[in-house]
Amino acid sequence: MLRRRSLSLHPAQAVVVGFAGAILAGTILLWLPVSSTDGRSPSLVDALFTATSAVCVTGLTVLDTPSDWSPFGQVVIMLLIQLGGLGIMIFASLIGLVLARKMSVRSRLNTAAEAKAVGFDDVRGLVRGIVLISLTIEAATFLLLFPRFLFGYGYDLGEAAWHGMFHAVSSFNNAGFALYTDNLMGFVDDPFICLPIAAAVILGGLGFPVIMQLRREFRQPLHWSMNTKLVLWATFVLLVGGTVYITAIEWENPDTLGALDPGARLLAGFFHSVQARTAGFNSLDIGAMHDETWLGMDVLMFIGGGPAGTAGGIKVTTFAVLFFIILTELRGEGAVNIFGKRLSRAVHRQAITVALIALGAVMTGVVALMFITGLDLDRVLFEAVSAFGTVGLSTGITAQLPDAAKLVLVVLMFLGRLGPLTLGSAIALRERRILYEYPKERPAIG
């Protein structure tokens, strides 16, 4: 009995083990000679980096996806992206449903931990809903991209289908992998490519609970949960604010927006505001942008998208909760009220903990990268935030980094995808309850 108990995993530990197992399997597959175009195995670090970037739906690359990876390697990358987007535990539970037609309590707990489900009884429907929504949105994105590649750019039928499928999966899962050496810079002024990809990124970044509720109660906003309202409100504010910020700063930059007509400038500005929310596609040269643009994108990447979706970062709900906490303190009010409801004090602590742990992880990564590479702070900070936020944007330094720096980014991507609290609870052997309280005392603040 003791032995059985010692081998069982906490749901959060199972999530970590599942992701680590997928990364290991992906690393082995990408390390095979058949995955490379030249028939030789890439370095183990490069295979590990690419597998981690795919499973963690980041998009940072150290090898050129179209020229260095064979069709087999590209298919492996796409499948790893899909697995990472759905969540290893959700995928495992789905396989269990198909084969056994039943789900154990432990499987329900595992799936609930990954998908942020509220109860145990809704997990089976949740898994089905997640898979259905994912495939539906990816199929819709494919149907928009496929004819554009076929008729607009003269691709043959198979090539247009493959490009449409790969980029549909990559965009909805907020991965940022592209089948072009310059990512999507060749489509900077093409709304028929940029807008479907941006729409898929936004939907993936909303999170599955929000999409499910909007599907059921789209015309009943009064029934929307606080989570749905916060995600939609923060997403709108950050998308508009990011578009205005990036477009205004880069408007006259001849190496980015300055070379385009006004309509294309607005399209590119909006596109990069979307991508900075954890997708990682780029239609402009990120390395040619102004330092001020990088800093603004650092903020967007750090915040990320909605919880329980394909996005990374600390999540827009964490950002929104911290905003309302600050607003409440400035007003001198006793309770944090959001959309007519009082926020639980436990959420206060959780939001602060997530933000501070994330900040600590990024700063630790920045220091390590600067020590290893000797590069400037602005580029290193951008790279570290992009990795932790599972974004995939880069100023162009990723491929030139030494192996030690690549491993630092691997750790940041892993931490960023799983989340500080998930990883922390996975390491902890058991929850600890304290049955007493100390007397209160208040130190001076500020």
Side-chain angles (χ1 to χ4, degrees):
M1 192 75 177
L2 284 173
R3 186 178 177 184
R4 245 181 107 184
R5 192 172 183 184
S6 64
L7 292 176
S8 64
L9 292 176
H10 185 279
Q13 290 176 319
V15 172
V16 174
V17 172
F19 270 84
I23 290 172
L24 177 61
T27 301
I28 294 173
L29 289 174
L30 292 176
W31 198 29
L32 297 174
V34 69
S35 295
S36 180
T37 52
D38 61 6
R40 294 182 295 179
S41 297
S43 73
L44 183 60
V45 172
D46 287 347
L48 171 64
F49 188 99
T50 304
T52 305
S53 185
V55 173
C56 296
V57 290
T58 304
L60 286 174
T61 58
V62 290
L63 296 175
D64 186 33
T65 304
S67 63
D68 291 329
W69 296 112
S70 67
F72 175 83
Q74 293 173 11
V75 170
V76 170
I77 290 172
M78 185 183 71
L79 293 177
L80 292 176
I81 290 170
Q82 187 71 81
L83 284 175
L86 290 175
I88 300 303
M89 292 301 103
I90 295 177
F91 182 80
S93 298
L94 176 64
I95 295 299
L97 279 174
V98 173
L99 297 179
R101 292 292 180 183
K102 64 181 180 179
M103 184 182 288
S104 67
V105 174
R106 180 163 296 282
S107 295
R108 295 187 183 196
L109 285 170
N110 291 341
T111 305
E114 166 64 12
K116 307 290 191 298
V118 176
F120 301 147
D121 295 334
D122 65 341
V123 172
R124 183 176 300 188
L126 180 68
V127 172
R128 290 172 178 167
I130 288 173
V131 175
L132 178 62
I133 287 173
S134 298
L135 296 181
T136 300
I137 296 177
E138 289 171 1
T141 307
F142 167 80
L143 292 175
L144 292 173
L145 295 176
F146 170 69
R148 185 59 177 169
F149 286 129
L150 182 63
F151 301 113
Y153 293 93
Y155 292 4
D156 60 45
L157 191 65
E159 188 179 15
W162 169 237
H163 280 244
M165 181 189 303
F166 186 94
H167 292 97
V169 172
S170 184
S171 57
F172 176 71
N173 290 287
N174 281 215
F177 281 88
L179 295 176
Y180 305 95
T181 300
D182 60 357
N183 206 271
L184 298 181
M185 290 176 63
F187 307 102
V188 62
D189 57 352
D190 188 345
F192 298 101
I193 296 293
C194 292
L195 291 181
I197 287 177
V201 168
I202 293 172
L203 289 174
L206 289 178
F208 293 115
V210 174
I211 296 176
M212 286 180 174
Q213 183 164 48
L214 291 178
R215 186 182 64 172
R216 294 192 309 263
E217 302 173 323
F218 182 75
R219 297 183 180 180
Q220 298 174 300
L222 293 178
H223 295 174
W224 293 353
S225 66
M226 180 188 293
N227 180 76
T228 296
K229 293 178 180 178
L230 280 177
V231 170
L232 293 177
W233 170 81
T235 297
F236 176 79
V237 170
L238 291 173
L239 284 178
V240 173
T243 300
V244 172
Y245 183 87
I246 294 171
T247 305
I249 294 179
E250 296 295 324
W251 188 265
E252 298 294 338
N253 186 344
D255 296 321
T256 56
L257 295 182
L260 305 173
D261 61 65
R265 295 184 194 186
L266 293 175
L267 174 64
F270 168 74
F271 186 77
H272 283 82
S273 177
V274 173
Q275 304 312 313
R277 304 285 319 292
T278 81
F281 291 105
N282 66 283
S283 61
L284 298 172
D285 183 3
I286 302 297
M289 289 181 171
H290 294 305
D291 294 352
E292 296 85 353
T293 307
W294 289 347
L295 186 58
M297 294 176 75
D298 286 340
V299 174
L300 293 176
M301 292 190 296
F302 187 75
I303 294 173
T310 57
I314 64 171
K315 305 297 186 293
V316 292
T317 45
T318 304
F319 167 75
V321 165
L322 292 175
F323 170 81
F324 281 108
I325 289 175
I326 294 172
L327 189 63
T328 300
E329 288 297 321
L330 292 177
R331 289 174 174 175
E333 299 173 355
V336 179
N337 300 311
I338 304 176
F339 301 125
K341 294 183 179 180
R342 183 168 57 88
L343 190 68
S344 169
R345 291 192 179 274
V347 179
H348 300 198
R349 298 192 299 270
Q350 186 177 9
I352 294 170
T353 302
V354 167
L356 290 180
I357 290 178
L359 184 62
V362 170
M363 290 300 101
T364 302
V366 168
V367 172
L369 289 173
M370 291 185 69
F371 180 78
I372 294 170
T373 65
L375 294 171
D376 295 336
L377 173 62
D378 49 5
R379 291 183 182 272
V380 169
L381 177 62
F382 192 95
E383 201 81 6
V385 175
S386 180
F388 182 84
T390 67
V391 181
L393 294 174
S394 175
T395 59
I397 66 173
T398 313
Q400 287 74 43
L401 293 176
D403 286 349
K406 293 176 184 176
L407 293 176
V408 171
L409 293 180
V410 165
V411 173
L412 285 175
M413 288 188 286
F414 193 75
L415 284 172
R417 172 56 181 154
L418 297 181
L421 288 182
T422 302
L423 190 62
S425 59
I427 294 173
L429 295 177
R430 63 172 182 259
E431 294 182 359
R432 186 181 173 199
R433 285 189 175 183
I434 298 178
L435 303 179
Y436 55 88
E437 290 185 357
Y438 291 106
K440 291 182 179 180
E441 188 172 348
R442 184 173 180 175
I445 301 297

